[in-house]
Amino acid sequence: MEGEPTLQLRVFDLNCWAIRYLSKRRQERVQLIGDTLRREGFDLVLLQEVWSEQDYSDLKVKLGGCYPFSHYFRSGVIGSGLCVFSRFPILDTLLYQYSLNGYPYMLQHGDWFCGKSVGLSRGRAGASMGVLASRPLFPPSSCQLHAEYCREKDAYLPHRLVQAWELAQFIRHTSKAADVVVLGGDLNMHPEDVGIRLLRGWTGLRDAFAEATRFEGCEDGCTLVPNNCFTVNSELLPFPLGIRIDYILYKAVSSFTVKCEELKTTTGTAPGTDIPFSDHEAVMATLHIRRQGQAAGDTLATAEPTLADVVTEARTEVGVGLRAARRQRYSAGRMAVLALRLLLLQAAAVLGALAGLAAEQPFPKLSFSLLAFFALGVLLLATGLHLFHTMEVKMLQGTEEQMRMALRALQERP
Amino acid sequence: MEGEPTLQLRVFDLNCWAIRYLSKRRQERVQLIGDTLRREGFDLVLLQEVWSEQDYSDLKVKLGGCYPFSHYFRSGVIGSGLCVFSRFPILDTLLYQYSLNGYPYMLQHGDWFCGKSVGLSRGRAGASMGVLASRPLFPPSSCQLHAEYCREKDAYLPHRLVQAWELAQFIRHTSKAADVVVLGGDLNMHPEDVGIRLLRGWTGLRDAFAEATRFEGCEDGCTLVPNNCFTVNSELLPFPLGIRIDYILYKAVSSFTVKCEELKTTTGTAPGTDIPFSDHEAVMATLHIRRQGQAAGDTLATAEPTLADVVTEARTEVGVGLRAARRQRYSAGRMAVLALRLLLLQAAAVLGALAGLAAEQPFPKLSFSLLAFFALGVLLLATGLHLFHTMEVKMLQGTEEQMRMALRALQERP
């Protein structure tokens, strides 16, 4: 950096919505994304929801010339869907999986099966950089986008807060190794939501949209807009302008400053075409990174009393989730016990029949074995659920305790 | 640290083997551990296999006076079993779960259900410290301890290497935030194993046993010894002295130096009693931490050509595991397809019977529904296995690629 006062870093972030067999016009859109990225020549591209490794490989081949470095984060059954393309060398990567990610039985939301992670790549572009891509602080469920009464009853909020907290902790623990941290992702939270305030407050990350000197794109920086032909408009009814849930966040860690010169979003269609890249809008930021005299120190973005309020608010919500998880654990356990009792009762009946009691009546073998299989199925399912909710309780407890520890540290600080 | 040239840090590490209902004389031993820790007054206590949260709570109450700070890492269904007690404030914690941890169907090893994590606490004791407790780089299976032919056929080796790699990566990415890093744990690997060489080489961690000025304890620093009345001696037959699988590793990150003055192990029984703390021996290190003039830089312990050899060796093993996982994924997939075909065949037969074909013969309802349930069971199980091995393949692939990236970085370095 010496002798070269400012490094300009152009960052592109997009939730690609590239689910094989499910996403509309996927291949066409992935090709379009690749063409645009090659033409525009960003420095850093953070993509989410690239669920097919083939799509990543195609992009890698196409972008090899201008983005010689890339990484696809593998995880879970389906994958994390996260990938990074970079003009600068990627030196190292690390994947962190969130401990909670919704419910396996909420198949329609599908979150449990995928996307439970944040990928960190470490690169060097003058300043050393920690680059994170995350998606989702789930769910992409319609509930979140619905009327306020539904947002208030949002059963996923505690999980989302655990993820926001874990993401913040992961950034705090890993960011010291970099001069500059850039996080791009579909965080599935509105800017004023407690999760975003927690993430920003606890890490000191700045919101490129709020800080940008120039802005161009959808009103209020929205990234899920009614204009986009792939969004389900009924879900956006309470938000006529759309909502902002995709972010580029950044901070300088050591003796650097970062400024967001310009922020852009696409506006329903990709530039120069008639279809959008995805059902989300892309976010593009131009960051100016400059070395300054003394080290900046690890400042928290929010004044500390406010931060304490945010942590307290988040902790209260996690506590609500903890009580709900305990109730569900109890219900599942009770169901398992009932199924076990039914099985034991049946076993007793079989033994009785074998011993020749009630020999005058024919033993109803078929209905009996069907009932036994049913009871066995319920037993297995309920036991699985009980274990799952036990795990959920543990993670929520753990997060609540960490938050308590954080609050104590905040209060004790001079 | 200024004006106080050397900080002495006494570290205690023990795999407590405190499994409810399974471990022999558990309560007595936990009490004994608590009494000893209170009497000896270490600075830092890293415990593994404290599976019961009640045991942790009891220890916490007992040790509150001399170790006012502590943390229990919650994870999974059973928990991580990891906890930390400290004389110095614990400011922050983070739990990282390994992505691979054995096979859910190897119930006798039980690894899949627990212990898949490393816990990081950040504290301040003059120098800021990153303190890690990890267990296990699994398995504690007898296989590992058996004769060489078995160690050579060790089917778990790829998973263990993935864990060693993830642990090393986690340490590399988080250690910059500390002046000194201390890792204590039952790593389930012999000192000369490729996993340990990888971990040490890739992080620059030093082995307290190898570096200690004074040593006192079991010969060769062994921590699983025939002398201990809880060890299964038949498992140690090929190793008459025992084996060393519990470690205290450390490194200085910034402008500090760390020296291990003294290392001790228990020798089959706890000091002053007739029973051991656990089936493992405790490891106790006295570290001297001193601030030095200039920053040390992040040195790798091993000369880089050697390190490249170690990474290559590890990568080869991961490749072997990858091929095995692909074969298992294929077998499980084929089994699922066969079960599905059987179900479809049955459905066709039922439809045929309903349509009045073969009406002259009575339809064998009972055996038919039993067969259907059997096929359904196999289908579910095989699908589950297929998904599990798909995940395994992904994680092994991911690790292999990261290792390739590391090798490239090592080779390109001037």
Side-chain angles (χ1 to χ4, degrees):
Chain A
M1 288 286 286
E2 281 90 353
E4 175 204 9
T6 305
L7 170 78
Q8 181 183 283
L9 191 75
R10 293 179 61 224
V11 184
F12 178 94
D13 169 76
L14 175 66
N15 177 335
C16 294
W17 187 48
I19 313 166
R20 244 178 180 165
Y21 314 119
L22 282 180
S23 302
K24 286 179 202 156
R25 302 173 74 176
R26 188 189 104 247
Q27 284 170 310
E28 194 182 340
R29 289 188 292 107
V30 170
Q31 215 155 29
L32 180 64
I33 292 169
D35 292 339
T36 309
L37 291 179
R38 192 165 56 181
R39 197 177 54 240
E40 292 283 331
F42 291 94
D43 298 302
L44 201 56
V45 175
L46 307 171
L47 303 181
Q48 302 103 51
E49 291 207 14
V50 182
W51 295 118
S52 146
E53 214 169 317
Q54 189 54 51
D55 284 343
Y56 166 73
S57 303
D58 293 349
L59 281 175
K60 190 175 166 165
V61 169
K62 179 175 274 179
L63 300 178
C66 36
Y67 305 88
F69 306 95
S70 67
H71 187 75
Y72 186 75
F73 292 93
R74 287 180 184 83
S75 90
V77 177
I78 306 178
S80 72
L82 305 173
C83 59
V84 176
F85 291 89
S86 165
R87 210 156 67 78
F88 304 105
I90 295 176
L91 304 174
D92 212 350
T93 62
L94 185 66
L95 188 74
Y96 182 86
Q97 303 194 21
Y98 300 122
S99 59
L100 283 182
N101 201 48
Y103 303 96
Y105 46 83
M106 296 298 246
L107 286 176
Q108 75 276 27
H109 294 156
D111 291 280
W112 192 77
F113 294 94
C114 55
K116 43 199 282 176
S117 35
V118 51
L120 165 68
S121 336
R122 216 170 270 303
R124 173 155 281 285
S128 80
M129 263 180 293
V131 179
L132 299 109
S134 177
R135 193 243 153 240
L137 291 156
F138 88 114
S141 89
S142 57
C143 183
Q144 194 198 3
L145 318 179
H146 266 146
E148 281 304 310
Y149 90 92
C150 188
R151 276 173 62 90
E152 271 167 27
K153 280 210 286 183
D154 181 2
Y156 286 123
L157 181 56
H159 283 213
R160 208 181 295 127
L161 284 173
V162 169
Q163 292 191 343
W165 178 255
E166 287 181 349
L167 176 56
Q169 286 288 85
F170 181 71
I171 292 172
R172 275 168 68 92
H173 284 280
T174 57
S175 61
K176 282 281 170 58
D179 298 322
V180 174
V181 176
V182 179
L183 164 66
D186 164 13
L187 302 183
N188 266 313
M189 291 185 288
H190 298 226
E192 71 279 10
D193 281 359
V194 57
I196 284 283
R197 285 183 283 135
L198 182 70
L199 175 63
R200 289 182 45 205
W202 192 234
T203 57
L205 284 169
R206 288 159 182 280
D207 182 352
F209 173 74
E211 307 277 333
T213 315
R214 281 191 309 282
F215 173 74
E216 194 179 305
C218 296
E219 205 166 331
D220 286 348
C222 290
T223 59
L224 214 58
V225 294
N227 256 353
N228 186 309
C229 64
F230 294 129
T231 55
V232 184
N233 276 347
S234 62
E235 289 181 353
L236 284 178
L237 276 186
F239 306 100
L241 288 178
I243 56 175
R244 182 157 82 89
I245 57 175
D246 298 81
Y247 297 83
I248 292 177
L249 305 174
Y250 60 85
K251 71 167 176 173
V253 178
S254 56
S255 56
F256 285 81
T257 53
V258 187
K259 229 173 139 258
C260 181
E261 273 306 303
E262 187 178 55
L263 192 81
K264 282 186 185 178
T265 72
T266 50
T267 53
T269 54
T273 62
D274 62 337
I275 66 159
F277 286 137
S278 159
D279 59 346
H280 286 244
E281 301 307 314
V283 184
M284 295 155 282
T286 306
L287 304 178
H288 283 195
I289 301 172
R290 187 196 293 265
R291 189 193 283 278
Q292 68 175 15
Q294 76 277 32
D298 199 6
T299 51
L300 298 169
T302 325
E304 294 196 357
T306 329
L307 179 56
D309 289 346
V310 174
V311 177
T312 307
E313 188 181 341
R315 201 183 142 213
T316 309
E317 291 296 345
V318 170
V320 170
L322 182 57
R323 282 189 292 282
R326 280 195 179 123
R327 276 196 303 275
Q328 282 166 313
R329 179 178 65 174
Y330 174 76
S331 306
R334 199 179 49 181
M335 181 70 80
V337 169
L338 285 179
L340 188 66
R341 276 192 196 161
L342 181 59
L343 272 178
L344 292 177
L345 214 66
Q346 285 199 297
V350 167
L351 287 178
L354 287 178
L357 304 172
E360 67 281 5
Q361 289 172 359
F363 192 77
K365 281 184 197 162
L366 177 65
S367 56
F368 205 82
S369 39
L370 285 181
L371 187 63
F373 274 111
F374 172 75
L376 194 69
V378 171
L379 176 63
L380 288 178
L381 201 72
T383 309
L385 277 182
H386 182 73
L387 291 180
F388 174 79
H389 287 299
T390 302
M391 219 160 73
E392 192 192 4
V393 164
K394 273 192 196 295
M395 298 321 303
L396 287 166
Q397 264 181 337
T399 305
E400 213 204 359
E401 199 181 297
Q402 282 190 26
M403 287 177 171
R404 196 172 55 226
M405 198 188 288
L407 276 173
R408 205 175 46 211
L410 281 176
Q411 280 150 7
E412 277 172 9
R413 219 176 272 191
Chain B
M1 287 285 284
E2 281 90 354
E4 174 203 10
T6 305
L7 171 78
Q8 180 180 285
L9 191 75
R10 294 177 63 224
V11 184
F12 178 93
D13 169 77
L14 175 66
N15 176 335
C16 294
W17 188 49
I19 314 167
R20 243 179 179 166
Y21 315 119
L22 283 179
S23 302
K24 288 180 202 154
R25 302 172 75 174
R26 188 188 105 248
Q27 285 170 311
E28 193 183 343
R29 290 188 293 105
V30 170
Q31 214 155 32
L32 180 64
I33 293 169
D35 291 339
T36 309
L37 291 178
R38 194 166 52 180
R39 196 177 54 240
E40 292 283 332
F42 292 95
D43 298 302
L44 201 56
V45 175
L46 307 170
L47 302 181
Q48 302 103 51
E49 291 207 14
V50 181
W51 295 118
S52 145
E53 216 171 315
Q54 188 55 49
D55 285 345
Y56 165 72
S57 302
D58 292 348
L59 281 174
K60 190 174 165 166
V61 168
K62 180 176 272 180
L63 301 177
C66 37
Y67 306 88
F69 305 96
S70 68
H71 188 75
Y72 186 75
F73 292 94
R74 288 181 182 84
S75 91
V77 177
I78 307 178
S80 72
L82 305 173
C83 59
V84 177
F85 290 89
S86 165
R87 209 156 66 79
F88 303 106
I90 295 176
L91 304 174
D92 212 350
T93 63
L94 185 67
L95 187 75
Y96 182 86
Q97 304 195 21
Y98 301 123
S99 60
L100 283 181
N101 201 49
Y103 302 97
Y105 46 84
M106 296 299 244
L107 286 178
Q108 75 276 28
H109 294 157
D111 290 283
W112 192 76
F113 295 93
C114 54
K116 43 198 287 177
S117 35
V118 51
L120 165 69
S121 338
R122 215 170 272 303
R124 174 155 281 284
S128 82
M129 264 182 293
V131 178
L132 299 108
S134 177
R135 194 238 154 243
L137 291 155
F138 89 114
S141 91
S142 57
C143 182
Q144 194 198 4
L145 318 178
H146 268 145
E148 280 304 311
Y149 89 92
C150 188
R151 276 171 62 88
E152 271 167 27
K153 279 209 287 182
D154 181 2
Y156 286 122
L157 181 57
H159 282 213
R160 209 180 296 126
L161 284 173
V162 169
Q163 292 191 342
W165 178 256
E166 286 181 347
L167 176 56
Q169 287 287 85
F170 181 71
I171 292 172
R172 276 168 66 92
H173 283 279
T174 56
S175 60
K176 284 279 169 60
D179 298 321
V180 173
V181 176
V182 179
L183 164 67
D186 164 12
L187 302 182
N188 265 314
M189 292 186 288
H190 297 227
E192 71 279 11
D193 281 358
V194 57
I196 284 284
R197 285 183 285 133
L198 183 70
L199 174 64
R200 287 184 44 207
W202 193 234
T203 57
L205 284 170
R206 288 158 183 281
D207 182 353
F209 173 75
E211 308 278 334
T213 314
R214 284 191 308 281
F215 173 75
E216 193 180 305
C218 296
E219 206 166 332
D220 288 348
C222 289
T223 59
L224 213 58
V225 295
N227 257 354
N228 187 309
C229 62
F230 295 128
T231 56
V232 184
N233 277 346
S234 63
E235 288 180 353
L236 284 177
L237 275 185
F239 306 100
L241 287 179
I243 57 176
R244 181 158 81 90
I245 57 176
D246 297 80
Y247 297 84
I248 291 177
L249 305 174
Y250 61 85
K251 71 168 176 171
V253 178
S254 55
S255 55
F256 284 80
T257 53
V258 187
K259 232 174 137 249
C260 180
E261 272 306 304
E262 186 178 56
L263 192 81
K264 282 186 185 178
T265 71
T266 50
T267 53
T269 53
T273 62
D274 61 337
I275 68 159
F277 286 138
S278 161
D279 60 346
H280 287 244
E281 301 307 314
V283 185
M284 294 155 281
T286 306
L287 304 179
H288 282 194
I289 301 172
R290 187 195 293 266
R291 188 193 284 277
Q292 68 175 14
Q294 76 275 31
D298 199 6
T299 51
L300 298 169
T302 326
E304 295 199 356
T306 330
L307 179 55
D309 289 347
V310 175
V311 178
T312 307
E313 188 182 342
R315 200 183 141 211
T316 310
E317 291 297 345
V318 170
V320 170
L322 182 57
R323 283 190 290 283
R326 279 195 179 121
R327 278 196 303 275
Q328 282 165 313
R329 180 178 61 173
Y330 174 76
S331 307
R334 199 178 49 182
M335 182 68 82
V337 168
L338 286 178
L340 188 65
R341 276 193 195 158
L342 181 59
L343 272 177
L344 291 177
L345 214 68
Q346 286 198 297
V350 167
L351 286 178
L354 286 178
L357 304 172
E360 66 280 3
Q361 289 172 357
F363 193 76
K365 281 183 196 160
L366 177 64
S367 56
F368 205 82
S369 39
L370 285 181
L371 187 63
F373 274 111
F374 172 74
L376 194 69
V378 171
L379 176 63
L380 288 179
L381 201 72
T383 308
L385 277 182
H386 182 74
L387 290 180
F388 174 79
H389 287 299
T390 302
M391 219 160 71
E392 190 190 6
V393 164
K394 274 192 195 292
M395 297 321 302
L396 287 166
Q397 264 180 337
T399 305
E400 211 201 2
E401 200 182 296
Q402 282 190 25
M403 286 176 171
R404 196 172 57 228
M405 198 189 288
L407 277 172
R408 205 176 45 211
L410 281 176
Q411 279 149 9
E412 277 172 9
R413 221 177 272 192

